[in-house]
Amino acid sequence: MQGEGVYSLGELAVRVGLELRGDPALRVSHVATLARAVEGSLSFLANSRYRKHLGGTHATAVVVAPGDADACPVAAFVDSNPYLAYAYIATLMYPPPAVTAGIHLSAVVAAGASVAPSAAVGPMCVIEAGTVVGERARIGAGCTLLAGARIGDDTELRPRVTLYPEVSIGTRCLLHSGVVIGADGFGFAPDFGAWVKVPQVGSVRIGDDVEIGANTTVDRGAIGDTIVENGVKLDNQIQVGHNVIIGAHTAIAACTGISGSTTIGQRCMIGGMVGFAGHLTIAD
């Protein structure tokens, strides 16, 4: 993918605050892996298993750790955390598109909904009464926001996201396609071989700067709310049960299942396909 701008290495070094070894006038226009890079490419080396590709790379510049700088055959940005430095550079080169405000003619927006004038609502969306959509929010095609849902400023819903009633999403969040927030938790009381549904009367509260991957689901609370705190990152196809609490800045990889009333602390890192039994507490 081509970036949206061409940057000189000198400009990137100043804007990101990096040591540059090489010609500051050289320019990059896109990112690439070490093995596939060509002239104009920016690449990075953060994992030792890819060091074998460094010596033969055709990138214009590579972001490297200090220990790899001398082995880099091209211009180098040197930083103790090359992956983080690369993330800042790539964010400059691939900025999100500007929000084009307005409500598509095919969207259905209830009279009692509040949509900020600077927000964008895509085709075939349904926004029910009592819903609040913040400034510069983006609502992708086919999203459904049920009664009383709230979306903070600068939050983006990719196509086909569903928010159930009274769900609250903070600012600067990103929810990918197929995300469902606030469906009923799995609550059933046994009755001599049958099951009686337990009403799920809580909701879901999601903080600021949260990203939720495609087809991940977060259930509403049975009593009280399910809570996802600020800065949490959830991968694709994760199931978060009712009344779960996920602490700030925790990252959880794909296909993890979290049973109801589990509390996960702050800044945890959870690999793919982890299973949590209910009512557990995981420390920060």
Side-chain angles (χ1 to χ4, degrees), residues 155-159 161-163 167-170 172-182 204-219 226-229 231-240 246 250 252:
T155 281
E156 180 178 1
L157 309 186
R158 296 280 169 86
V161 170
T162 300
L163 304 184
V167 163
S168 174
I169 312 292
R172 299 178 302 279
C173 294
L174 174 58
L175 278 59
H176 289 273
S177 294
V179 164
V180 178
I181 307 294
V204 180
R205 288 186 284 129
I206 292 175
D208 302 331
D209 302 299
V210 171
E211 182 162 344
I212 301 179
N215 293 324
T216 284
T217 59
V218 181
D219 290 346
T226 302
I227 298 172
V228 179
E229 294 183 349
V232 167
K233 310 302 179 188
L234 302 180
D235 199 357
N236 303 331
Q237 297 181 323
I238 292 171
Q239 157 65 8
V240 180
I246 302 177
T250 282
I252 304 178

Side-chain angles (χ1 to χ4, degrees), residues 127-141:
I127 300 179
E128 292 190 347
T131 295
V132 177
V133 177
E135 298 288 349
R136 299 169 301 281
R138 306 167 189 254
I139 312 300

Side-chain angles (χ1 to χ4, degrees), residues 8-217:
S8 71
L9 303 189
E11 181 180 6
L12 291 174
V14 170
R15 295 185 65 172
V16 182
L18 298 173
E19 176 190 349
L20 172 63
R21 299 188 186 181
D23 184 355
L26 292 173
R27 302 174 76 80
V28 290
S29 61
H30 59 277
V31 300
T33 64
L34 287 168
R36 295 183 179 274
V38 296
E39 185 177 352
S41 299
L42 172 84
S43 192
F44 71 97
L45 174 61
N47 188 318
S48 60
R49 72 179 63 185
Y50 298 108
R51 188 175 289 115
K52 60 186 178 183
H53 299 301
L54 179 61
T57 189
H58 296 289
T60 293
V62 182
V63 187
V64 295
D68 294 312
D70 290 342
C72 185
V74 297
F77 291 110
V78 183
D79 191 82
S80 60
N81 189 339
Y83 194 43
L84 178 61
Y86 165 78
Y88 283 124
I89 294 174
T91 299
L92 287 174
M93 297 178 67
Y94 296 86
V99 177
T100 301
I103 299 173
H104 194 274
L105 292 175
S106 64
V108 179
V109 180
S114 174
V115 178
S118 60
V121 178
M124 307 301 291
C125 291
V126 175
I127 300 179
E128 292 190 347
T131 295
V132 177
V133 177
E135 298 288 349
R136 299 169 301 281
R138 306 167 189 254
I139 312 300
C143 289
T144 301
L145 283 60
L146 300 182
R150 303 179 66 88
I151 299 172
D153 298 345
D154 302 298
T155 281
E156 180 178 1
L157 309 186
R158 296 280 169 86
R160 295 185 303 101
V161 170
T162 300
L163 304 184
Y164 276 67
E166 305 300 327
V167 163
S168 174
I169 312 292
T171 61
R172 299 178 302 279
C173 294
L174 174 58
L175 278 59
H176 289 273
S177 294
V179 164
V180 178
I181 307 294
D184 282 355
F186 194 63
F188 298 91
D191 183 17
F192 299 101
W195 297 99
V196 175
K197 184 176 178 64
V198 177
Q200 305 292 291
V201 299
S203 191
V204 180
R205 288 186 284 129
I206 292 175
D208 302 331
D209 302 299
V210 171
E211 182 162 344
I212 301 179
N215 293 324
T216 284
T217 59

